[in-house]
Amino acid sequence: SLPIYAGGLGVLAGDHCKEASDLGVPLIGVGFMYPQGYFHQHVSAEGWQEEVYERLNWAETAIEPATTADGRPCVTAVPLGDRTVLVAVWRVRLGRVTLYLLDTDLEENAPWDRELSARLYGGDREIRVQQEIVLGIGGVRALKALGCEPAVFHLNEGHAAFVILQRIRDAIEGGASFDHALEEIRETTVFTTHTPVPAGHDTFPFSLVEKHLSGCWGTLGAHRDQFLALGSHDSGAGAQFNMTALAMRSAGAVNAVSQLHGEVTRGMWSAIWPDQPAATRPVTSVTNGVHVPTWVSHEMATLFDHHLGPDWRDRVDELALWDGVLSIPDEALWAARRNLRHYLFTFIRERARQRWTEDRVGTPRIVAAGTLLDPNTLTIGFARRFAGYKRSELIFTDPERLARILTSTERPVQIIFSGKAHPADDVGKHHLQRVYKRALDPLFGGRVAFVDDYDLHVAHYLVQGCDLWLNNPRKPLEASGTSGMKAAVNGVPHLSIGDGWWAEGFNGSNGWTIDGGAVGDNPDVIDLADATSLYTLLEEQVVPAFYDRNAAGLPPRWLAVVRESIRSVAPRFSARRMVKEYAERMYTPALSRRIGVSS
């Protein structure tokens, strides 16, 4: 109802807020209100992504102006360079959790400043640093104007790290020294990093940061060099101001989002703690999870009601509870899975019909949209952002071998792709275009489809209706991933590289791990080995398990994997387990430190 997110991080933040509401964790979220939302994707007849921005109709959106204690709409001022930008604050009610969204689209602001919060992706590094100043400094000021006094600040990725600057300034204005202010803020700050990809960490030339922070220093100005040093980091091209480095040096608790990502992060940021061995660097891990009530289908939820008990939603993270899945009869489980697959294909067919009516681009696009798919065929889903490291084309490494798998007369397979590329990611757009072309290739006999304009609505159908979820990033570049968790709780087993959450989630019988065994620095060799492993798993394990049927027409081997997928993934990778971990391991210790500092 409020499409301002993009990809996994935005959805994860939403799931975090929903679960905090369910548990009664007193959480307040702060982000940007993007009036243009996240772009709609149109794919041309040649397969090129085109971004279409559509301004939100706020009258039809679950949002309202945030008001101060005297009932006036909350507007705060943020110094930005040699000027001041006004920021309006909007409120979203998420059950017991409140989300505040910042908006610079006010008549009082200059046209270029009104555009700062227009959309998630857009502009250059200069726009980016201004957005992050508005988010960090404006966010702290907005909370103060609203009368909120957070006990702990949780910085979700480095984009919010200018929170540190405003909080230090406030403490100094209250009489603290710089060192004491930094220590107090460090004790009450939690930081989560989500990416091992260097491009995912914002860096800026010091001159650019100083230019746009020039009006923000106030009493902190005498300590400008000390503050800038907190963000100084050399990634190999000379020292720049790094938002992640600022957050890591200023937080009392730092976590990655899977166990493997924790190991990678401790190595990646070794310069922050140069005298400490990797094992003792202060980066823990809280593996991501998904809000199960949001993502589980009605069919599966009904089965859970009968076999786990009507209160299962309140006990999602209890391991023993999910043993009840083992008691679901094969007939009932298979019927639910078949229904979900048919819902998916009904959705795809109607979406293709709608596209044909709207665009009239002809038969090729309709073929690419999946009109030749068979609702009784083993269906693989691949849906995520198109980026180079996610290797969307890996399965096409050997087209002839793949074609034999897909077009088998007795045991056919089909693949549904969906996802968007970052508007500025030309490499990702080329990957998307080539996948789209594969959907038109006669070699695959209509067994490959591309569903455009991927969003949460499409995602629900895919994670519930596919039979198998494919994920093959280049290890170790996926910090966690969550789409496979959503699929698994619906009985859609995971077929993945042992990266991110799957490195700790795979138990040998709840899905399959792709491992070509290649090592070294040659990506072509690794890709070939992983593709070979993928084909072998499909040919020798996945396809036979799905199509081997007993006298009743049921696939008992496949259903055993489905059950184990649900049983092992639902409790361990639920947002309930994740938010409890944050509350117990990150928020509560920070709150305890705050009490200690105050006393």
Side-chain angles (χ1 to χ4, degrees):
S1 61
L2 188 60
I4 58 171
Y5 53 83
L9 283 185
V11 176
L12 176 67
D15 279 13
H16 194 126
C17 289
K18 291 180 190 178
E19 194 61 62
S21 172
D22 293 347
L23 290 169
V25 175
L27 183 76
I28 295 171
V30 180
F32 265 134
M33 175 63 209
Y34 299 108
Q36 295 183 16
Y38 188 44
F39 72 85
H40 290 286
Q41 178 193 61
H42 178 274
V43 180
S44 71
E46 293 74 35
W48 294 109
Q49 171 179 293
E50 300 167 357
E51 296 90 34
V52 179
Y53 289 93
E54 180 180 312
R55 198 169 182 84
L56 295 175
N57 183 343
W58 291 20
E60 299 176 356
T61 302
I63 190 167
E64 61 190 0
T67 55
T68 57
D70 57 7
R72 292 181 300 173
C74 181
V75 178
T76 190
V78 177
L80 205 55
D82 58 359
R83 66 198 190 280
T84 297
V85 175
L86 296 180
V87 180
V89 186
W90 297 83
R91 177 171 62 183
V92 182
R93 300 175 187 266
L94 296 170
R96 289 178 282 189
V97 162
T98 297
L99 172 63
Y100 291 118
L101 299 175
L102 311 180
D103 175 26
T104 64
D105 187 19
L106 280 72
E107 291 184 1
E108 297 89 338
N109 288 332
W112 47 90
D113 289 333
R114 296 183 68 168
E115 288 289 308
L116 284 174
S117 64
R119 66 185 69 91
L120 175 62
Y121 293 135
D124 53 17
R125 295 173 84 185
E126 188 149 14
I127 297 295
R128 186 73 166 181
V129 72
Q130 292 177 79
Q131 287 181 324
E132 297 187 355
I133 291 171
V134 171
L135 176 63
I137 292 174
V140 174
R141 293 185 173 202
L143 290 174
K144 184 182 294 186
L146 290 163
C148 299
E149 297 182 6
V152 178
F153 282 79
H154 183 178
L155 307 182
N156 200 30
E157 209 43 289
H159 315 311
F162 283 126
V163 161
I164 304 298
L165 186 151
Q166 183 63 43
R167 293 187 67 208
I168 291 178
R169 175 178 168 174
D170 289 346
I172 290 176
E173 289 178 351
S177 66
F178 178 87
D179 290 340
H180 185 271
L182 177 59
E183 186 56 33
E184 182 170 349
I185 279 136
R186 186 176 283 135
E187 296 289 355
T188 56
T189 300
V190 170
F191 172 60
T192 300
T193 177
H194 290 268
T195 176
V197 181
H201 300 274
D202 287 337
T203 60
F204 307 105
F206 284 97
S207 59
L208 192 63
V209 174
E210 291 188 84
K211 170 185 173 182
H212 292 293
L213 286 181
S214 60
C216 297
W217 298 112
T219 53
L220 181 56
H223 306 283
R224 180 181 63 90
D225 291 343
Q226 288 171 277
F227 177 80
L228 292 175
L230 292 173
S232 180
H233 183 74
D234 187 348
S235 298
Q240 289 196 311
F241 191 87
N242 187 295
M243 298 295 286
T244 299
L246 168 62
M248 285 188 167
R249 290 193 178 105
S250 306
V254 178
N255 74 280
V257 289
S258 72
Q259 293 175 11
L260 179 58
H261 182 221
E263 297 174 15
V264 172
T265 301
R266 287 186 285 273
M268 182 178 181
W269 295 96
S270 59
I272 302 291
W273 306 281
D275 300 324
Q276 291 185 249
T280 63
R281 291 171 193 150
V283 178
T284 186
S285 61
V286 178
T287 303
N288 286 342
V290 298
H291 187 246
V292 174
T294 290
W295 291 101
V296 73
S297 64
H298 174 73
E299 279 69 20
M300 299 308 296
T302 299
L303 289 178
F304 299 161
D305 287 341
H306 286 121
H307 295 276
L308 306 183
D311 63 342
W312 67 268
R313 292 169 185 81
D314 298 322
R315 303 169 56 201
V316 164
D317 59 327
E318 296 181 18
L319 295 174
L321 170 76
W322 291 91
D323 289 341
V325 171
L326 302 177
S327 68
I328 301 175
D330 280 1
E331 296 83 358
L333 185 57
W334 185 239
R337 291 298 320 142
R338 287 188 63 195
N339 286 341
L340 290 169
R341 196 182 325 117
H342 279 268
Y343 297 156
L344 169 62
F345 284 102
T346 298
F347 168 74
I348 288 175
R349 184 178 63 249
E350 293 306 311
R351 193 177 181 90
R353 189 194 311 276
Q354 179 184 2
R355 292 290 185 269
W356 195 13
T357 302
E358 292 174 351
D359 302 337
R360 300 189 182 280
V361 295
T363 303
R365 178 155 182 199
I366 304 308
V367 171
T371 52
L372 299 182
L373 298 179
D374 180 351
N376 297 307
T377 291
L378 171 60
T379 303
I380 301 173
F382 184 101
R384 53 189 42 84
R385 180 166 59 87
F386 277 80
Y389 77 91
K390 294 181 183 286
R391 298 194 298 183
S392 55
E393 297 176 77
L394 184 71
I395 199 167
F396 298 109
T397 300
D398 185 339
E400 286 73 23
R401 186 173 180 182
L402 175 61
R404 289 195 295 272
I405 295 171
L406 299 183
T407 62
S408 168
T409 303
E410 295 183 353
R411 294 179 168 183
V413 178
Q414 54 203 10
I415 313 172
I416 301 173
F417 287 89
S418 191
K420 297 174 178 176
H422 186 297
D425 184 2
D426 287 336
V427 172
K429 289 182 180 180
H430 277 83
H431 284 296
L432 189 156
Q433 194 260 354
R434 288 192 289 267
V435 167
Y436 187 88
K437 289 289 188 181
R438 295 290 191 179
L440 300 176
D441 191 337
L443 177 66
F444 303 116
R447 298 289 188 189
V448 178
F450 184 92
V451 177
D452 68 349
D453 203 21
Y454 185 57
D455 61 11
L456 287 190
H457 185 57
V458 177
H460 272 86
Y461 280 102
L462 289 172
V463 299
Q464 295 172 6
C466 290
D467 296 300
L468 183 72
W469 201 253
L470 176 63
N471 187 34
N472 42 236
R474 181 167 285 115
K475 188 176 180 178
L477 298 183
E478 180 163 88
S480 175
T482 57
S483 63
M485 303 173 187
K486 298 160 189 167
V489 300
N490 282 291
V492 180
H494 206 39
L495 170 61
S496 176
I497 295 290
D499 197 11
W501 77 276
W502 193 235
E504 62 197 82
F506 178 60
N507 66 10
S509 56
N510 61 349
W512 296 270
T513 291
I514 303 164
D515 185 2
V519 295
D521 298 324
N522 189 327
D524 293 334
V525 171
I526 294 172
D527 289 354
L528 179 59
D530 286 345
T532 301
S533 172
L534 170 57
Y535 296 139
T536 301
L537 284 170
L538 289 173
E539 292 165 339
E540 298 181 359
Q541 298 186 41
V542 175
V543 175
F546 184 84
Y547 282 108
D548 285 352
R549 306 293 167 88
N550 60 19
L554 303 172
R557 278 201 295 153
W558 182 262
L559 292 175
V561 179
V562 167
R563 280 194 190 84
E564 184 60 18
S565 174
I566 299 169
R567 190 191 71 83
S568 62
V569 172
R572 291 184 59 204
F573 299 98
S574 66
R576 178 148 295 214
R577 185 274 310 156
M578 176 188 73
V579 173
K580 282 185 177 180
E581 271 199 75
Y582 275 113
E584 295 167 359
R585 293 178 48 207
M586 310 293 279
Y587 303 158
T588 300
L591 180 58
S592 300
R593 289 193 297 268
R594 179 189 178 95
I595 294 170
V597 168
S598 298
S599 63

